[in-house]
Amino acid sequence: MSFLMAKKFALKNLKANKVLEIPFVLSSGIMFILFNIMVSLASNSYVIHRHKFLISIINMGIVIVGILAVIFVLYSVSVLLKRKNKTLALYSILGLEKKHIRKIISIEFMYLFTMILAIATVGGYIFGQLAFLGLNYLMRDMGVNVMHYPLSILAIVLTMVVVIILYIITVIRLSFTVYISTPTELLNKQHSGEGEPKSRYLVLLFGLITLSAGYWIALTTKGTLESITNFFTAVLLVIFATYALYVALTVVALKLQKKHSSSYFKPVKFLSVSGLLYRIKSNALSLASIAILGSGVIVTLSAVTMIYYSANMNFKNAIPRSYELISGENIDLHNYKKVSNTLKKQVEKTVDNKSQVVHSYVGYNCESWCEKKGDQLKILNNESLSSRTSKMLYVGDLVGYNANLHKKIKLQDDEILLCNNRIEKLNVHKLRIGGRTFKVRTVDNFVPANVAIESYGIIVKDLKTMLFFSKLFVKATGGMATNAKISCSYNWDVKGISYKKYSKRVHVLSANKVEFVDAKEFLTRFYEINGGFLFIGIIIGIIFLVGTILIIYYKQVSAGYEDRHKFRIMKEIGLEDALIKKSNTSQLMLLLYSPLCVSIIHCIVASKIVFNLVQMFGGIKWQNYNICLAAVISIFFIIYLLVFKITSRIYYNIVR
């Protein structure tokens, strides 16, 4: 067979199967548009020079997006190949040799993957400019324009390589199917999965156990450190459980309904339950995939959105003034005035007039690790940090606390202020620490928001009390932990001088024993990290959403082709159109709404452990996260309903 003749067959196939192949090209094109954008950003000179911290996040995103894109494209190809089994069988029956069949289908897929590559290249550049501007907006970089986003040859080449590899894999799969299968086997594959499935009680038991274990981990995990180690374990358990329960529990539930003969032998229920029982075998895995992908969309978007929009509050907590100068000397009762005066004089040298330094204050603090049991707070050594109940302890002075928050709180010698950066108020009235008992007044969180892990914050009356804590810290750590020592910081704003002019002067403060912090630079880095996470989260969320829509669409189209001959049989035996439509509608609703319900349940159960994880970024309240989660679930619910409505119309058009 000549290439021109094979090309004509391929073009006819493309036209005949456009219902499946157009969505395949568009969805795969979207996947690789996102991949192209990520590679373009990672190789963009503007991003490399202006946002160095972002590159590692984008590189991580490239790997994730690439893997997800490949998985979804391979799934789509498997659906297309299954639908082509009948075509391959007819070609064989008509006398075409296997090498001719392979040539026709290879040319057909060559056209498809060429279109995917074209969409990825053109769309990657056009939408990449929008993504580039959007990313810089998220990072509060307003000096950027589209001229900073040139066409990336590297992105085009890498996208082309991945698409070509997928095309080669597709051709190999196709060749293998053609050469090992007879026409009869190919025709039978069209109806694979039909037939009443067996009740798999061992699989059901496995699913129930793994789901219970995953939910138990998600609901009982406490603290950020424990959540990091347990999150992926819980995710894997729930994924395995979802697949197992869709394979086994659905069959058992449907068979139990058959046993209730009084309600089963009603027209609509009889047709629905019997139809579902025979269809669930081939639909279980794809339904479980929809449920898992839906959960991924909701969890990803709710988490990264909450992280980003808490950034402003976190920043104000982490850096209370425009500038901070931190001494590297260990503070005690003999040198604290000298150190603070030295810092103050260094700052005053950076301005023309001392009155330009405003809102200044001196603060003292020290940090260590602790464990709270009842009314006792135990200071931990380095060997005890693996404890699940270990938390960071941040101790500050009252004068600095009042100056920072503009308060006038007074404390007695045996009195402290206490907070927790994960709980708004602690129900504690006294604490025993190192042989002393302190009365406790709980206050709102004041632990710096850049402290990612769960922490306690204590404010003491004076430097003498802070030295008591510092000695406990040094003793517990054997004098090895430098952060157990007391540090002194000078915090200030300036007026009457521009930031650009002042920044040139103030950076001379950086020295070996002094650490200088510029709030604006800190904020830039802060938005780089948080904006980068939000951007990657949105990209991954889009991929999950496209994958969910893709699977729903293919399930509806596949169900349409499979049910077309069943519709005709039911009509031939005298069933009314309304009854047929009602029974099939109930089947489709059960099949496609159940993953939505499962996704929402998974996300609600996972909300506690996910909240613990996003708390790594600090300053996020439980109520705010729940509002964000509810908003994302609502939006996903609406999108899901729209997709179901649109694909249902396609299903009924095919069936008719």
Side-chain angles (χ1 to χ4, degrees):
M1 178 183 287
S2 66
F3 179 82
L4 288 176
M5 184 176 292
K7 179 183 173 183
K8 289 181 180 179
F9 275 106
L11 291 173
K12 287 183 178 179
N13 285 342
L14 287 172
K15 187 176 181 180
N17 296 295
K18 61 184 179 181
V19 175
L20 282 172
E21 289 171 344
I22 289 175
F24 166 70
V25 171
L26 292 176
S27 58
S28 301
I30 291 171
M31 298 290 185
F32 284 105
I33 282 174
L34 298 174
F35 178 76
N36 185 299
I37 289 171
M38 298 294 288
V39 178
S40 296
L41 290 172
S43 59
N44 185 276
S45 58
Y46 184 89
V47 176
I48 292 171
H49 291 101
R50 293 287 293 268
H51 307 294
K52 295 179 182 179
F53 292 95
L54 184 63
I55 298 299
S56 58
I57 299 175
I58 294 178
N59 287 332
M60 177 179 66
I62 289 172
V63 175
I64 297 172
V65 171
I67 292 171
L68 292 174
V70 169
I71 290 171
F72 290 133
V73 171
L74 289 176
Y75 169 79
S76 303
V77 167
S78 66
V79 173
L80 288 177
L81 290 178
K82 184 178 180 182
R83 295 305 311 165
K84 289 185 181 298
N85 285 329
K86 186 177 180 180
T87 303
L88 299 177
L90 291 174
Y91 281 155
S92 296
I93 293 169
L94 291 172
L96 291 180
E97 296 181 24
K98 291 184 176 181
K99 62 180 181 180
H100 297 152
I101 298 172
R102 184 170 65 89
K103 181 185 286 187
I104 293 169
I105 306 300
S106 297
I107 293 172
E108 182 181 347
F109 274 100
M110 182 181 69
Y111 279 118
L112 294 175
F113 279 96
T114 301
M115 287 187 279
I116 291 170
L117 183 59
I119 291 172
T121 303
V122 177
Y125 180 65
I126 295 173
F127 292 104
Q129 292 180 330
L130 296 175
F132 176 69
L133 295 174
L135 176 61
N136 283 279
Y137 173 78
L138 292 175
M139 296 185 299
R140 297 297 193 269
D141 186 353
M142 301 306 175
V144 67
N145 57 64
V146 292
M147 299 301 293
H148 294 119
Y149 187 81
L151 183 67
S152 173
I153 302 301
L154 177 62
I156 294 173
V157 171
L158 282 180
T159 305
M160 186 183 297
V161 168
V162 177
V163 171
I164 290 173
I165 290 173
L166 286 171
Y167 171 70
I168 293 171
I169 292 172
T170 302
V171 171
I172 292 172
R173 289 174 65 182
L174 169 69
S175 302
F176 184 75
T177 302
V178 170
Y179 281 112
I180 68 167
S181 303
T182 64
T184 304
E185 290 172 339
L186 290 170
L187 286 172
N188 289 334
K189 285 181 181 180
Q190 286 291 106
H191 306 289
S192 61
E194 293 186 0
E196 183 171 325
K198 297 178 181 178
S199 299
R200 302 178 180 180
Y201 290 104
L202 287 177
V203 177
L204 174 61
L205 181 62
F206 170 78
L208 292 173
I209 292 172
T210 50
L211 183 69
S212 301
Y215 278 8
W216 183 83
I217 291 172
L219 293 171
T220 58
T221 297
K222 297 179 180 178
T224 305
L225 295 176
E226 189 178 353
S227 297
I228 293 172
T229 57
N230 290 347
F231 177 73
F232 291 103
T233 302
V235 168
L236 289 175
L237 288 170
V238 171
I239 288 174
F240 290 143
T242 304
Y243 280 109
L245 291 176
Y246 260 105
V247 169
L249 182 60
T250 50
V251 175
V252 173
L254 290 170
K255 286 191 174 183
L256 286 174
Q257 290 192 50
K258 281 186 68 174
K259 291 182 179 180
H260 294 85
S261 57
S262 58
S263 60
Y264 175 67
F265 290 105
K266 292 180 180 179
V268 175
K269 188 165 186 179
F270 173 77
L271 292 173
S272 299
V273 174
S274 59
L276 280 171
L277 192 56
Y278 282 83
R279 295 171 69 171
I280 199 65
K281 185 177 178 181
S282 59
N283 284 273
L285 295 180
S286 57
L287 294 175
S289 298
I290 294 172
I292 292 165
L293 290 172
S295 303
V297 173
I298 296 170
V299 168
T300 302
L301 293 181
S302 61
V304 296
T305 302
M306 196 66 248
I307 289 169
Y308 181 77
Y309 285 106
S310 65
N312 277 324
M313 181 175 57
N314 292 349
F315 166 71
K316 291 175 182 177
N317 189 336
I319 309 292
R321 299 291 188 268
S322 298
Y323 306 96
E324 182 180 20
L325 196 61
I326 305 170
S327 173
E329 292 188 48
N330 184 28
I331 303 300
D332 55 36
L333 292 174
H334 303 290
N335 69 352
Y336 75 97
K337 288 184 178 180
K338 179 184 176 182
V339 172
S340 62
N341 286 331
T342 301
L343 293 177
K344 182 180 179 181
K345 289 177 181 178
Q346 285 182 287
V347 171
E348 289 175 346
K349 290 178 181 179
T350 63
V351 293
D352 300 321
N353 192 313
K354 294 180 181 179
S355 62
Q356 290 178 309
V357 177
V358 295
H359 307 143
S360 62
Y361 74 90
V362 175
Y364 301 94
N365 67 79
C366 57
E367 301 168 356
S368 188
W369 294 87
C370 68
E371 184 178 44
K372 182 179 176 296
K373 291 185 177 180
D375 63 351
Q376 182 174 2
L377 197 70
K378 181 183 178 183
I379 309 303
L380 300 178
N381 55 33
N382 295 331
E383 288 75 24
S384 303
L385 298 185
S386 59
S387 170
R388 291 185 175 184
T389 56
S390 62
K391 295 176 177 61
M392 189 173 177
L393 178 60
Y394 174 89
V395 180
D397 70 302
L398 181 63
V399 174
Y401 175 82
N402 282 334
N404 177 22
L405 300 178
H406 307 289
K407 294 188 176 184
K408 296 181 180 180
I409 296 176
K410 294 182 180 180
L411 292 175
Q412 301 298 321
D413 290 340
D414 61 345
E415 196 174 18
I416 59 174
L417 303 180
L418 178 68
C419 78
N420 182 291
N421 66 345
R422 296 294 182 264
I423 305 170
E424 293 198 25
K425 292 285 185 179
L426 287 164
N427 187 23
V428 181
H429 301 291
K430 64 177 182 177
L431 272 180
R432 290 185 290 116
I433 308 171
R436 290 179 61 178
T437 300
F438 292 91
K439 297 176 184 177
V440 173
R441 290 162 61 181
T442 57
V443 293
D444 292 332
N445 176 42
F446 56 81
V447 177
N450 55 338
V451 177
I453 60 176
E454 189 170 0
S455 307
Y456 288 112
I458 290 178
I459 296 296
V460 297
K461 178 187 176 183
D462 50 30
L463 193 61
K464 183 179 179 181
T465 310
M466 187 176 289
L467 281 167
F468 166 77
F469 279 89
S470 179
K471 290 176 182 178
L472 291 177
F473 297 167
V474 173
K475 183 179 179 181
T477 57
M480 299 299 292
T482 56
N483 63 347
K485 300 175 182 179
I486 299 174
S487 65
C488 175
S489 65
Y490 188 83
N491 304 264
W492 77 101
D493 294 326
V494 293
K495 68 175 183 178
I497 185 171
S498 67
Y499 172 79
K500 186 176 182 180
K501 184 178 179 181
Y502 187 66
S503 61
K504 292 179 181 179
R505 300 181 184 180
V506 77
H507 279 82
V508 300
L509 293 174
S510 299
N512 292 333
K513 290 188 177 182
V514 178
E515 179 186 353
F516 170 68
V517 180
D518 183 332
K520 192 169 183 178
E521 290 182 357
F522 182 88
L523 181 61
T524 300
R525 194 176 308 157
F526 202 80
Y527 273 117
E528 271 187 19
I529 296 171
N530 288 279
F533 274 118
L534 178 60
F535 182 77
I536 300 299
I538 290 172
I539 296 293
I540 293 173
I542 291 172
I543 287 183
F544 281 152
L545 185 60
V546 171
T548 305
I549 294 171
L550 179 71
I551 296 175
I552 293 172
Y553 177 84
Y554 281 151
K555 289 316 301 174
Q556 293 278 52
V557 173
S558 299
Y561 284 118
E562 290 170 4
D563 291 348
R564 188 157 55 180
H565 72 281
K566 296 176 184 176
F567 261 63
R568 291 172 184 169
I569 294 171
M570 286 190 283
K571 282 185 177 182
E572 288 173 0
I573 62 175
L575 294 178
E576 297 177 358
D577 287 348
L579 178 61
I580 297 171
K581 185 175 181 179
K582 192 173 182 180
S583 66
N584 276 275
T585 301
S586 64
Q587 290 180 47
L588 291 175
M589 289 181 69
L590 284 170
L591 284 172
L592 291 173
Y593 281 154
S594 66
L596 176 62
C597 297
V598 171
S599 296
I600 293 173
I601 293 170
H602 283 346
C603 293
I604 291 172
V605 174
S607 61
K608 181 175 180 289
I609 192 170
V610 174
F611 175 73
N612 289 339
L613 290 174
V614 299
Q615 280 284 65
M616 288 177 61
F617 297 85
I620 298 173
K621 294 183 178 179
W622 173 245
Q623 308 96 291
N624 294 343
Y625 174 71
N626 282 335
I627 292 170
C628 182
L629 178 63
V632 174
I633 288 175
S634 300
I635 294 170
F636 180 75
F637 183 82
I638 293 169
I639 294 173
Y640 196 98
L641 292 183
L642 289 174
V643 172
F644 178 77
K645 189 173 182 179
I646 293 168
T647 54
S648 293
R649 289 180 182 176
I650 297 170
Y651 167 83
Y652 285 115
N653 288 335
I654 294 172
V655 168
R656 289 168 187 164

